[in-house]
Amino acid sequence: MSEDSESVVIHGLVCPLPLVHDSTVVLGHGSGGKMTHDLITGRFYPPLANDDLLRGDDAAVLVSPGGERLALSTDSHIVSPLFFHGGDIGRLAVCGTVNDLAVMGARPQWLTAGFILEEGLPMYLLEQVLNSMQAAAEEAGVRIVAGDTKVVERGKADGLFINTAGVGWIPQGREVGGAYARPGDAVLVSGPIGNHGIAVLCARGELQFETEIESDVAPLNGLVEALFESCSTVHTLRDPTRGGVATTLNEIAHQSGVSIRLEESSIPVEEPVLAACEMLGFDPLYVANEGKLIIVLPDNLAETALGAIRSKPYGKGACRIGTVEEGEAGRVLMHTAIGGTRVVDVLAGEMLPRIC
Amino acid sequence: MSEDSESVVIHGLVCPLPLVHDSTVVLGHGSGGKMTHDLITGRFYPPLANDDLLRGDDAAVLVSPGGERLALSTDSHIVSPLFFHGGDIGRLAVCGTVNDLAVMGARPQWLTAGFILEEGLPMYLLEQVLNSMQAAAEEAGVRIVAGDTKVVERGKADGLFINTAGVGWIPQGREVGGAYARPGDAVLVSGPIGNHGIAVLCARGELQFETEIESDVAPLNGLVEALFESCSTVHTLRDPTRGGVATTLNEIAHQSGVSIRLEESSIPVEEPVLAACEMLGFDPLYVANEGKLIIVLPDNLAETALGAIRSKPYGKGACRIGTVEEGEAGRVLMHTAIGGTRVVDVLAGEMLPRIC
């Protein structure tokens, strides 16, 4: 970091705002990285703490009065702009919550949708977003069963924010969570990374070149079902959204008290995404995905799992990217393409604000 | 309404904006009244329609794979200012969702909380809101089990928006809903109306006199439990929030295909609220409440029900305000204090924006 408190350099970007600031909220608090983690653990956990919340998974796993296991999650969506190549805020809002449920092993069933509309939002944009939500809900096999709509004055919101919460049911025998990764486990990813973040950046007109990069935003519950049909044991599932694969793997390593070692040459990144990242000084490991799955499971099931998910459209590019090791708890190391080893830390500040 | 499309008079207020506007979202779409209804039925229902959503109750009533009945609801909170006499956005966010579940006969159990923070929000304000949420959750006996935090740039939100979604379980034998009111039923209210809306208005400094009016924001699940303990049959419960008692009763009359007749002299309004309403040209029947229950149940249970809820702190001022009649479906009539009869319609435009 720079010595100047008005300007810090993080991931190659000069950030004009002080990113660490004790007394007010700053954009970095929404990054999904270290500052978000500090905000959650430092400000939200002390008053709200309970066992379910503290587990820190993508959805809470709860037990009904009759003994059924359900997953419950929530996500607010503030992506800017509302529409981008490959998706929009509506598809994002449905898929985000579907995926948070699916990575707990749940079969997503019902969603709620809460809308905050800015006065002046054109109705045809709202309708496009609603149509997109419904299409995504149908694709995922979920229903939007309850909603709420609020309107704020012009200039008090940015067009449209959508919160989705969701309920899914966890079939017997599925025990997945961030804390279940074990030394020796294989670490898989369901396809090339970084597309979503770069697609949103393109839609803002912030790239100086033409590109066809599409967001990967997609519901992953089909992929999760295919995985459980073929593999008896899956330890951890997670979708690497804000903070990217690097931050997600750090969370898993921390929750499970293990190390994770990555092979840089195995990490799939499409050529245009790589080119955009190089130009912008981004590391694709920190760029958000909205349709990718990180899978941690016993080494001897890795090939079976890869076969199962490669048979699905959203899992075609699946591959193994690393291994869980005993080592220092919470540490992620990468064997680099040029033969060295480096620590892969969590995202420190804010790289791409408002990408979901 | 005025002939001038730039200025309409609704509920005694001259509104400078065209309140009916086909092509963009306007503040009136968030009123909870006719414009909200038109937005929901005209724009949201066509793409999203399914039986659960179309029922139009405060929460969806759903059945788990194992046959348990649950209620699921969502509410986004955008109240301005964040703090007001008797409450704040945090207490409101918890109570709003607890009450939406309770009025379906459910026992609220879990909440999710999604935060949209504006860059620059002072941390101490966030902490006050979180403490208030936790206190309200403890009072209601619910747990906040999942959360999400997003940050938007300065000027792209208004301090802090909170979405809460909730799950509750419906005990066997409870069958309540907006469509179950029957001719002959008594219509009760759990206490004096209009306090919340006027308290928020006071907090904005829009009154020219000093007042001690407090918001009634409170969790109503205790009141609902007391009601079911004493009464075997309850037809409809609802909390009259945006749009007030008038709009809520219109919704019930419409959903149940009945008329409702009110006695103006029986409708409880505290003196300072009445004074503020008279000064501002408001009708307290249209002012939002956040801790009041409308109860519709067989006439012969009315006194038992009143006794049960008056025994609870939030039901001390309960009384009977009207009767369900056969008459024209969807019509609410009021026998006025001066001896006439008038139609009580839904709120037409926007009276008090951003009161929840």
Side-chain angles (χ1 to χ4, degrees):
Chain A
M1 288 200 190
S2 145
E3 292 290 307
D4 175 5
S5 71
E6 293 301 303
S7 150
V8 293
V9 179
I10 288 177
H11 298 291
L13 280 188
V14 178
C15 303
L17 284 169
L19 284 177
V20 181
H21 193 303
D22 188 54
S23 61
T24 62
V25 170
V26 297
L27 280 180
H29 286 125
S31 65
K34 184 171 185 324
M35 289 185 69
T36 304
H37 178 265
D38 291 349
L39 177 71
I40 302 299
T41 56
R43 308 285 179 165
F44 284 75
Y45 280 175
L48 303 180
N50 62 62
D51 290 348
D52 294 308
L53 193 67
L54 291 179
R55 217 170 287 128
D57 279 323
D58 283 356
V61 173
L62 306 158
V63 180
S64 79
E68 298 174 85
R69 282 195 309 158
L70 70 154
L72 177 62
S73 78
T74 187
D75 241 330
S76 291
H77 300 274
I78 57 161
V79 67
S80 172
L82 300 175
F83 297 84
F84 43 84
H85 209 47
D88 59 64
I89 191 172
R91 182 169 173 83
L92 201 57
V94 169
C95 295
T97 291
V98 162
N99 294 347
D100 281 348
L101 299 171
V103 298
M104 300 312 296
R107 290 182 176 143
Q109 184 166 8
W110 302 306
L111 301 189
T112 66
F115 296 83
I116 297 174
L117 310 178
E118 184 189 8
E119 184 186 20
L121 177 74
M123 281 290 177
Y124 76 91
L125 288 185
L126 177 61
E127 288 184 326
Q128 279 184 38
V129 168
L130 293 172
N131 285 328
S132 171
M133 288 185 82
Q134 180 60 17
E138 282 174 17
E139 183 186 349
V142 299
R143 274 183 309 140
I144 298 166
V145 296
D148 178 61
T149 306
K150 296 281 162 40
V151 181
V152 296
E153 305 90 333
R154 211 179 283 263
K156 299 295 184 183
D158 194 12
L160 170 60
F161 301 144
I162 305 176
N163 175 284
T164 43
V167 172
W169 303 93
I170 305 177
Q172 274 203 323
R174 294 188 185 177
E175 294 289 347
V176 296
Y180 298 159
R182 289 291 162 265
D185 281 356
V187 180
L188 319 178
V189 67
S190 62
I193 66 172
N195 292 53
H196 176 73
I198 300 298
V200 172
L201 210 63
C202 292
R204 290 187 196 149
E206 291 181 20
L207 291 187
Q208 281 106 42
F209 53 90
E210 287 287 315
T211 163
E212 286 300 299
I213 297 167
E214 278 197 13
S215 166
D216 59 345
V217 56
L220 296 173
N221 48 335
L223 220 54
V224 170
E225 289 303 311
L227 186 65
F228 278 105
E229 275 166 30
S230 67
C231 296
S232 55
T233 306
V234 178
H235 289 155
T236 304
L237 294 172
R238 190 145 304 174
D239 61 327
T241 55
R242 281 186 294 176
V245 168
T247 303
T248 298
L249 291 178
N250 269 276
E251 287 168 6
I252 295 171
H254 183 79
Q255 282 181 272
S256 295
V258 297
S259 280
I260 292 175
R261 181 176 295 268
L262 300 177
E263 274 299 327
E264 186 172 27
S265 59
S266 314
I267 296 168
V269 188
E270 287 174 359
E271 184 47 48
V273 173
L274 201 58
C277 282
E278 278 173 3
M279 185 173 186
L280 296 160
F282 289 168
D283 181 340
L285 276 174
Y286 293 91
V287 179
N289 312 275
E290 290 290 342
K292 292 299 176 303
L293 203 56
I294 294 284
I295 302 159
V296 181
L297 81 182
D299 183 80
N300 63 353
L301 293 173
E303 284 307 312
T304 310
L306 286 172
I309 58 179
R310 282 179 188 150
S311 73
K312 294 285 181 182
Y314 296 134
K316 277 195 206 314
C319 56
R320 177 172 182 156
I321 58 169
T323 302
V324 179
E325 298 184 339
E326 287 205 10
E328 186 185 326
R331 193 166 68 168
V332 179
L333 293 172
M334 185 159 73
H335 184 237
T336 63
I338 55 167
T341 297
R342 71 170 173 93
V343 172
V344 176
D345 209 343
V346 296
L347 181 65
E350 179 56 287
M351 196 166 69
L352 289 172
R354 299 187 59 189
I355 43 79
C356 63
Chain B
M1 285 201 191
S2 147
E3 293 289 306
D4 176 6
S5 71
E6 294 301 302
S7 150
V8 293
V9 179
I10 288 178
H11 299 289
L13 281 187
V14 178
C15 304
L17 284 171
L19 283 178
V20 181
H21 194 304
D22 187 55
S23 62
T24 63
V25 170
V26 299
L27 280 180
H29 286 125
S31 65
K34 183 170 184 328
M35 289 186 67
T36 304
H37 179 263
D38 291 349
L39 178 71
I40 302 299
T41 57
R43 309 285 180 164
F44 284 76
Y45 280 176
L48 303 181
N50 63 63
D51 290 349
D52 294 306
L53 193 66
L54 291 179
R55 216 170 286 129
D57 278 323
D58 283 357
V61 174
L62 305 158
V63 181
S64 78
E68 298 174 85
R69 281 193 311 158
L70 69 153
L72 177 62
S73 78
T74 187
D75 242 330
S76 291
H77 300 272
I78 57 161
V79 67
S80 171
L82 299 175
F83 297 83
F84 43 87
H85 209 45
D88 59 64
I89 191 171
R91 182 167 173 85
L92 200 57
V94 168
C95 295
T97 291
V98 162
N99 295 348
D100 282 347
L101 299 172
V103 296
M104 300 311 297
R107 291 183 175 142
Q109 184 167 7
W110 303 305
L111 300 189
T112 66
F115 297 83
I116 297 174
L117 310 177
E118 184 190 8
E119 183 186 20
L121 177 76
M123 281 291 179
Y124 77 90
L125 289 185
L126 177 61
E127 288 183 326
Q128 278 184 39
V129 168
L130 293 171
N131 286 329
S132 172
M133 287 185 83
Q134 180 60 18
E138 281 174 19
E139 183 186 349
V142 299
R143 276 185 307 142
I144 298 166
V145 296
D148 177 63
T149 306
K150 296 281 160 45
V151 181
V152 295
E153 304 89 334
R154 209 178 284 263
K156 299 294 184 184
D158 195 12
L160 169 61
F161 301 144
I162 305 177
N163 175 284
T164 43
V167 171
W169 303 93
I170 305 176
Q172 273 201 324
R174 293 189 186 177
E175 294 289 347
V176 297
Y180 299 158
R182 291 287 163 266
D185 281 356
V187 179
L188 319 178
V189 67
S190 62
I193 66 173
N195 293 52
H196 176 72
I198 301 300
V200 172
L201 210 62
C202 292
R204 289 186 198 150
E206 290 179 20
L207 291 187
Q208 280 107 44
F209 53 89
E210 288 286 315
T211 162
E212 287 299 302
I213 297 168
E214 278 198 12
S215 167
D216 60 345
V217 56
L220 296 173
N221 49 333
L223 220 52
V224 170
E225 289 303 312
L227 186 63
F228 278 105
E229 275 166 29
S230 67
C231 297
S232 55
T233 305
V234 178
H235 288 155
T236 304
L237 295 173
R238 189 139 315 167
D239 61 328
T241 55
R242 282 187 292 176
V245 168
T247 303
T248 299
L249 291 179
N250 269 275
E251 286 169 4
I252 295 170
H254 184 79
Q255 282 181 268
S256 295
V258 296
S259 280
I260 292 173
R261 182 176 295 269
L262 301 176
E263 275 299 327
E264 185 172 27
S265 60
S266 313
I267 296 168
V269 188
E270 286 174 0
E271 185 47 48
V273 173
L274 201 58
C277 282
E278 278 173 4
M279 185 174 188
L280 296 161
F282 289 168
D283 181 340
L285 276 175
Y286 294 91
V287 178
N289 311 276
E290 291 289 342
K292 291 300 175 304
L293 203 54
I294 295 285
I295 303 159
V296 181
L297 82 180
D299 183 80
N300 63 352
L301 294 172
E303 284 308 313
T304 311
L306 286 171
I309 59 181
R310 280 179 190 150
S311 73
K312 295 284 182 181
Y314 295 134
K316 276 194 207 314
C319 56
R320 177 172 182 157
I321 59 169
T323 303
V324 179
E325 297 185 340
E326 289 208 6
E328 186 185 326
R331 194 165 67 169
V332 179
L333 294 171
M334 185 157 73
H335 185 237
T336 64
I338 55 167
T341 297
R342 70 170 174 94
V343 172
V344 176
D345 209 344
V346 296
L347 180 65
E350 180 57 288
M351 196 166 70
L352 289 171
R354 300 187 56 188
I355 44 77
C356 63

